[in-house]
Amino acid sequence: SYDGEVLIWNCTSGRVFCRLHSSLTKDTADNDVLEGGLAVGQLCYLRSRMTNRKAASLITNGPKAAIHFWNVYDHDTEYAMFPAPHGMISSMKVNENSSLLFAADVKGFVTVWKVAKYCLNGKEKRAPEVEAAWRAHVAPITCIKQIGRAHV
C-alpha cells in the first residue's frame, strides 16, 4: 500500500487475516507518505515455507527502500529488515525452491541473496548473504522474469 501497511486477506471468509506494519513507518512525516517513501510495491511468497509457522514466508520491498521478511502466523511479526543496496527495489522474484531472492532496482542494479535458511527459525539481525550483484542497466529496471531455471 501507499502508507506501508500490507493486508493479508482470507479469501474464504472475505476478512483480513493479518495486517503487517513495518517498524520503519513509526514516527514518519506526512511528506514520506505523499512522496511514496512508505509504499510497498511488490511482495514474494516463499512457497517452500508454507507449512513452517516458525519461518518468515513473505517478503516485501518497502517501505523506505528496505526489504522486509514477515511471518504472518507469528502475530504479524517482521522477522528481518535490511536496506536495499542501491535504493528502491522495482522488481523482486524468488526461484522455485525459495532459496534465492532476485531484486532489481531503480538504478539498474540486480542483487541476488541466499535466503534458503534466512529467517527459517526466527528473526535475523543481519541481511542474508549476497550470492551475486551486478549493474544490469543504466536506467531503472521495471521487471525481472524467470527464464527456464534462471532469473534475469
Side-chain angles (χ1 to χ4, degrees), residues 23-77:
S23 58
L24 294 178
T25 60
K26 295 176 181 153
D27 302 322
T28 57
D30 288 340
N31 283 350
D32 287 336
V33 175
L34 294 174
E35 294 173 1
L38 300 181
V40 175
Q42 291 196 347
L43 56 87
C44 291
Y45 181 64
L46 301 170
R47 292 181 189 266
S48 66
R49 300 178 182 196
M50 185 169 39
T51 59
N52 185 350
R53 291 184 176 242
K54 294 181 180 180
S57 57
L58 187 70
I59 306 169
T60 61
N61 75 325
K64 294 196 175 183
I67 297 172
H68 303 262
F69 281 70
W70 302 93
N71 182 332
V72 298
Y73 297 108
D74 186 12
H75 305 290
D76 319 328
T77 302

Side-chain angles (χ1 to χ4, degrees), residues 19-139:
R19 295 174 184 267
L20 308 176
H21 298 276
S22 168
S23 58
L24 294 178
T25 60
K26 295 176 181 153
D27 302 322
T28 57
D30 288 340
N31 283 350
D32 287 336
V33 175
L34 294 174
E35 294 173 1
L38 300 181
V40 175
Q42 291 196 347
L43 56 87
C44 291
Y45 181 64
L46 301 170
R47 292 181 189 266
S48 66
R49 300 178 182 196
M50 185 169 39
T51 59
N52 185 350
R53 291 184 176 242
K54 294 181 180 180
S57 57
L58 187 70
I59 306 169
T60 61
N61 75 325
K64 294 196 175 183
I67 297 172
H68 303 262
F69 281 70
W70 302 93
N71 182 332
V72 298
Y73 297 108
D74 186 12
H75 305 290
D76 319 328
T77 302
E78 183 179 64
Y79 267 29
M81 183 277 302
F82 56 93
H86 301 285
M88 184 61 75
I89 298 294
S90 53
S91 185
M92 294 189 314
K93 300 286 185 219
V94 292
N95 63 343
E96 291 177 18
N97 64 359
S98 303
S99 63
L100 297 172
L101 170 64
F102 297 81
D105 65 38
V106 296
K107 293 184 179 176
F109 290 90
V110 175
T111 307
V112 183
W113 287 276
K114 295 180 180 180
V115 296
K117 296 178 182 176
Y118 191 70
C119 294
L120 198 55
N121 294 306
K123 295 181 178 184
E124 299 277 353
K125 294 188 186 285
R126 296 184 178 184
E129 181 182 346
V130 173
E131 173 76 12
W134 66 95
R135 182 105 193 234
H137 206 285
V138 294

Side-chain angles (χ1 to χ4, degrees), residues 7-28:
L7 300 175
I8 307 295
W9 290 85
N10 180 323
C11 293
T12 304
S13 71
R15 297 176 186 244
V16 173
F17 175 71
C18 69
R19 295 174 184 267
L20 308 176
H21 298 276
S22 168
S23 58
L24 294 178
T25 60
K26 295 176 181 153
D27 302 322
T28 57

